[in-house]
Amino acid sequence: MVLAVDKMNLSECVKAVQRRLEQAGLSYGHGTDNAADEAAWLVLHCMGLPVDAGGVDARQPVPVSVVQRIDECLEQRIERGLPLAYVIGEAWFCGLPFTVNRHVLVPRSPIAELIQTGFQPWIAFDGPGDILDLCTGSGCIAIAMAKAFPDASLTASDVSQKALAVAAENCIRHAVENRVRLARSDLFDRLTGTYDLIVSNPPYVAHAERWNLPAEYRHEPTMGFDGGTDGLDLVLRILHAAGDYLKDNGILIMEVGMSEPQLVALLPELPFLWLEFEHGGQGVCLLEKHQLVSSRPQIDRALTGRKHVA
């Protein structure tokens, strides 16, 4: 046993788990950024208590059976180095719980903040009519947008059938399976139609940088990270094609994360609008259809010599 089981209340249990996590010297970034929050998340989940609500009685006893379950989770978290979201099979995004497994990245995009503010001031007050979530993974971005824009029509695409299976499960979980159309496509290859808004969090990590990430990140699917030698292979393909899939006043919002400096250096002529966030995050750009279309010659030159062109 990692934890003692006699007369332990909720507060004591959380503190004991926190100490154990701190002693293990783990890295965070899959839903929390510190041991205290992760300990609370783990204990509340195992207790069957809401992780997003206050008013929980910290003095309530923790049953021995729950402590045993916490021990099992800690073994996977500490000994195997799994992100907690994979251990418990759930992560939170935009205030909503999502089923996750090792076929999808753990949700953590700053795009959540944009969804919660309705993409203001870039989207009309009544919201977009047609939305595409490109590289949907678990479906968290598409589903959160479906909740934020109840009148919108959404398409969520991914090249991975296993990821789409997780997304389908999450659509059913949040009762939006009739509003979110799932499509298997290598970026735009099998997509048709045009959209008011395209949102994408594609793979954008460079090969070398992937292995510099903490060990926890290596449990996530390589396909979700791998952006090629400089991290921009898929980013450039999206920039090249997105204009053809946007309506006249449509916009592209794309996360490129740590690859922002490389992208700006490669395409200095493009009028990227880099969005700012109150709650942390960077590397999310906005481009309008006309900007993408007029910049296509520069994007084409940047794509020259790359292995795959959309």
Side-chain angles (χ1 to χ4, degrees), residues 26-53:
L26 302 171
S27 293
Y28 304 94
H30 294 86
T32 71
D33 61 5
N34 62 83
D37 288 344
E38 185 153 305
W41 180 18
L42 172 55
V43 174
L44 290 170
H45 176 86
C46 290
M47 285 283 286
L49 295 171
V51 300
D52 63 337

Side-chain angles (χ1 to χ4, degrees), residues 69-124:
R69 170 60 179 147
I70 293 170
D71 278 340
E72 294 169 359
C73 291
L74 281 173
E75 180 178 359
Q76 294 184 71
R77 178 71 181 95
I78 294 171
E79 300 302 324
R80 297 181 59 195
L82 290 174
L84 181 58
Y86 287 160
V87 174
I88 64 177
E90 185 174 88
W92 287 74
F93 182 81
C94 269
L96 300 169
F98 290 93
T99 298
V100 295
N101 59 31
R102 292 180 65 174
H103 299 307
V104 297
L105 296 182
V106 177
R108 52 181 174 268
S109 173
I111 290 172
E113 185 175 319
L114 301 177
I115 298 171
Q116 290 171 324
T117 59
F119 294 100
Q120 294 297 316
W122 303 285
I123 294 291

Side-chain angles (χ1 to χ4, degrees), residues 53-305:
V56 174
D57 184 1
R59 297 169 297 179
Q60 63 181 291
V62 179
V64 172
S65 60
V66 173
V67 175
Q68 291 172 337
R69 170 60 179 147
I70 293 170
D71 278 340
E72 294 169 359
C73 291
L74 281 173
E75 180 178 359
Q76 294 184 71
R77 178 71 181 95
I78 294 171
E79 300 302 324
R80 297 181 59 195
L82 290 174
L84 181 58
Y86 287 160
V87 174
I88 64 177
E90 185 174 88
W92 287 74
F93 182 81
C94 269
L96 300 169
F98 290 93
T99 298
V100 295
N101 59 31
R102 292 180 65 174
H103 299 307
V104 297
L105 296 182
V106 177
R108 52 181 174 268
S109 173
I111 290 172
E113 185 175 319
L114 301 177
I115 298 171
Q116 290 171 324
T117 59
F119 294 100
Q120 294 297 316
W122 303 285
I123 294 291
F125 182 75
D126 55 354
D130 296 294
I131 307 175
L132 170 64
D133 175 21
L134 198 63
C135 307
T136 195
S138 66
C140 62
I141 289 177
I143 292 166
M145 290 192 294
K147 294 289 189 180
F149 302 110
D151 296 324
S153 173
L154 290 107
T155 298
S157 72
D158 203 286
V159 71
S160 167
Q161 190 61 52
K162 291 180 178 179
L164 288 172
V166 178
E169 183 177 346
N170 281 317
C171 284
I172 293 170
R173 179 174 185 173
H174 291 285
V176 295
E177 68 271 24
N178 294 325
R179 293 189 49 226
V180 178
R181 182 180 73 91
L182 299 177
R184 188 177 185 186
S185 178
D186 181 4
L187 298 185
F188 294 101
D189 286 355
R190 297 184 181 179
L191 299 180
T192 59
T194 55
Y195 304 89
D196 299 289
L197 172 64
I198 298 175
V199 177
S200 185
N201 181 13
Y204 56 71
V205 178
H207 284 322
E209 190 63 33
R210 168 82 161 104
W211 301 109
N212 291 331
L213 295 172
E216 282 84 350
Y217 292 84
R218 298 173 198 166
H219 292 280
E220 296 183 270
T222 298
M223 182 182 294
F225 283 97
D226 190 2
T229 302
D230 60 359
L232 297 178
D233 281 2
L234 278 82
V235 169
L236 291 172
R237 289 175 58 197
I238 292 170
L239 292 174
H240 169 87
D244 294 333
Y245 293 85
L246 286 169
K247 297 182 182 180
D248 287 344
N249 294 317
I251 64 172
L252 167 70
I253 292 177
M254 179 168 57
E255 179 176 348
V256 301
M258 64 184 69
S259 293
E260 175 185 342
Q262 293 93 321
L263 182 59
V264 171
L266 186 64
L267 294 170
E269 308 96 335
L270 262 68
F272 293 108
L273 174 61
W274 296 100
L275 306 182
E276 297 182 357
F277 299 90
E278 290 185 12
H279 305 294
Q282 60 181 13
V284 177
C285 64
L286 183 152
L287 288 162
E288 300 175 18
K289 175 187 174 75
H290 71 91
Q291 294 171 325
L292 289 162
V293 172
S294 63
S295 299
R296 187 165 286 162
Q298 296 97 304
I299 300 169
D300 286 345
R301 285 196 295 271
L303 274 166
T304 301

